[in-house]
Amino acid sequence: MTLNEINDLVKECGSASLGFLDKNGNPSIRRVFSTWHKGLGGHLISTNTSSMHTQTLLENNKACLYFVNCKTFQGVCLTGTATVHFDHEHKAMLWNEGDEIYYSKGVDDEDYCVIEFQADYGRYYSYDNIGDISAEELTEFDKGAVYKNYKTN
Amino acid sequence: MTLNEINDLVKECGSASLGFLDKNGNPSIRRVFSTWHKGLGGHLISTNTSSMHTQTLLENNKACLYFVNCKTFQGVCLTGTATVHFDHEHKAMLWNEGDEIYYSKGVDDEDYCVIEFQADYGRYYSYDNIGDISAEELTEFDKGAVYKNYKTN
């Protein structure tokens, strides 16, 4: 797979599996919506402040984000760090109409936050090949990229 | 969700996300086929010996297995340990007709192995509730269970 093909896979997914370490230091996974991307390395995820994954990422920011196309079984695992944003700007940027269902107090609900995942390196999987994505390749590929919402519906 | 409902979710999934730690100690995820289950806690996965997840699990057996229904967004994250089996018995049990595509030398291909995941505890997610599954609940629920293939096609 080329980096462009991997980037297309990420943009088409809409959701991803977020990997992190739980309070015991054991691997844990949550399914998250992920439609905001900055190139291949940067991803924004709106989520609950009170959620276990948010609380443990505040303690240990090591994380991975795995995008997979379940039909073609092609996937990419990006490894890096997660930063939890509580500022109005990030929260307003990711707010969708109707999100009051999840966060009754609106954009500034304290239980609403934005996780920014930044990849350090990656590894992709396809029926025809497997390979690593280096930090240098990510930096070069993402040059000039800005966050954009690729939500399709 | 009740433990029976969670068990139904697992049996219907067919695949899961396997969480482990890569050689740098960072969280990593791979999508794996998972149709062999022993109750809610035990799961067998056929995979490549040479794969990065197999090689790193041989070094550090901490793992998690995440089953999710993408339509209902209900999921369960089981946390525990992975044991890699190379014996003929396990390999023959999980062998499917046509697996020569992946393992050209057949059942005893050195690149073919079976990962056994055994859960210590879990956490489930549903639209209506979130909760923990304790080691005691898993032991009680799985009493008398044996490995069975729930593959549907």
Side-chain angles (χ1 to χ4, degrees):
Chain A
M1 291 178 90
T2 65
L3 292 182
N4 273 316
E5 286 170 338
I6 298 166
N7 198 33
D8 286 343
L9 167 79
V10 165
K11 290 189 285 189
E12 286 161 12
C13 269
S15 67
S17 296
L18 176 70
F20 59 99
L21 299 176
D22 72 13
K23 63 181 180 207
N24 302 314
N26 293 321
S28 200
I29 296 173
R30 296 297 176 271
R31 188 85 168 173
V32 291
F33 289 109
S34 177
T35 64
W36 280 86
H37 313 296
K38 185 175 75 177
L40 191 49
H43 309 274
L44 297 174
I45 297 150
S46 61
T47 195
N48 293 83
T49 306
S50 58
S51 289
M52 204 177 92
H53 60 273
T54 308
Q55 289 303 310
T56 53
L57 284 171
L58 285 167
E59 301 288 321
N60 182 343
N61 67 356
K62 284 184 181 183
C64 72
L65 204 54
Y66 185 70
F67 295 91
V68 66
N69 180 326
C70 296
K71 285 177 196 159
T72 65
F73 231 78
Q74 290 178 302
V76 61
C77 184
L78 300 167
T79 307
T81 52
T83 308
V84 188
H85 297 291
F86 298 103
D87 59 282
H88 179 82
E89 198 182 341
H90 276 98
K91 289 164 71 161
M93 189 161 93
L94 265 73
W95 185 263
N96 292 308
E97 217 182 292
D99 276 356
E100 287 88 356
I101 303 170
Y102 311 110
Y103 314 108
S104 59
K105 295 182 195 167
V107 174
D108 296 311
D109 194 318
E110 314 87 65
D111 195 35
Y112 169 48
C113 66
V114 173
I115 293 176
E116 179 169 15
F117 174 83
Q118 182 59 50
D120 292 327
Y121 57 90
R123 194 167 167 88
Y124 62 90
Y125 302 83
S126 186
Y127 37 81
D128 54 354
N129 63 343
I130 292 175
D132 290 315
I133 308 168
S134 71
E136 293 72 26
E137 285 172 309
L138 277 176
T139 304
E140 178 64 25
F141 186 81
D142 291 354
K143 204 175 271 178
V146 291
Y147 274 113
K148 197 182 151 190
N149 188 5
Y150 292 89
K151 195 179 181 184
T152 51
N153 47 37
Chain B
M1 292 178 89
T2 64
L3 292 183
N4 273 315
E5 286 169 338
I6 298 166
N7 197 33
D8 286 342
L9 167 78
V10 165
K11 289 189 284 187
E12 286 160 12
C13 270
S15 67
S17 296
L18 175 70
F20 60 99
L21 299 175
D22 72 13
K23 62 182 179 202
N24 302 311
N26 293 320
S28 198
I29 296 173
R30 296 298 176 271
R31 189 84 167 172
V32 292
F33 289 109
S34 178
T35 64
W36 280 86
H37 313 297
K38 186 175 74 178
L40 191 48
H43 310 274
L44 297 174
I45 298 152
S46 61
T47 196
N48 293 83
T49 306
S50 58
S51 288
M52 203 177 92
H53 60 273
T54 308
Q55 289 302 311
T56 53
L57 284 170
L58 285 168
E59 301 287 322
N60 182 342
N61 68 355
K62 283 184 180 184
C64 72
L65 204 56
Y66 185 68
F67 296 90
V68 66
N69 179 325
C70 296
K71 287 179 195 157
T72 64
F73 231 78
Q74 291 177 301
V76 61
C77 184
L78 300 167
T79 306
T81 51
T83 308
V84 187
H85 297 291
F86 297 103
D87 59 282
H88 178 82
E89 197 182 342
H90 276 97
K91 289 164 71 159
M93 189 160 92
L94 265 74
W95 186 264
N96 292 307
E97 214 182 296
D99 275 356
E100 287 88 356
I101 303 169
Y102 312 111
Y103 314 107
S104 59
K105 295 184 197 163
V107 174
D108 295 311
D109 194 318
E110 313 86 64
D111 196 35
Y112 169 49
C113 66
V114 173
I115 293 175
E116 178 168 15
F117 174 84
Q118 181 59 51
D120 292 327
Y121 57 91
R123 194 167 167 88
Y124 63 89
Y125 301 83
S126 187
Y127 38 81
D128 54 354
N129 64 344
I130 292 175
D132 291 314
I133 308 167
S134 70
E136 293 71 25
E137 285 172 307
L138 277 177
T139 305
E140 178 63 25
F141 186 81
D142 292 353
K143 204 174 273 178
V146 291
Y147 273 114
K148 195 182 153 189
N149 188 6
Y150 292 89
K151 194 178 182 186
T152 51
N153 49 36

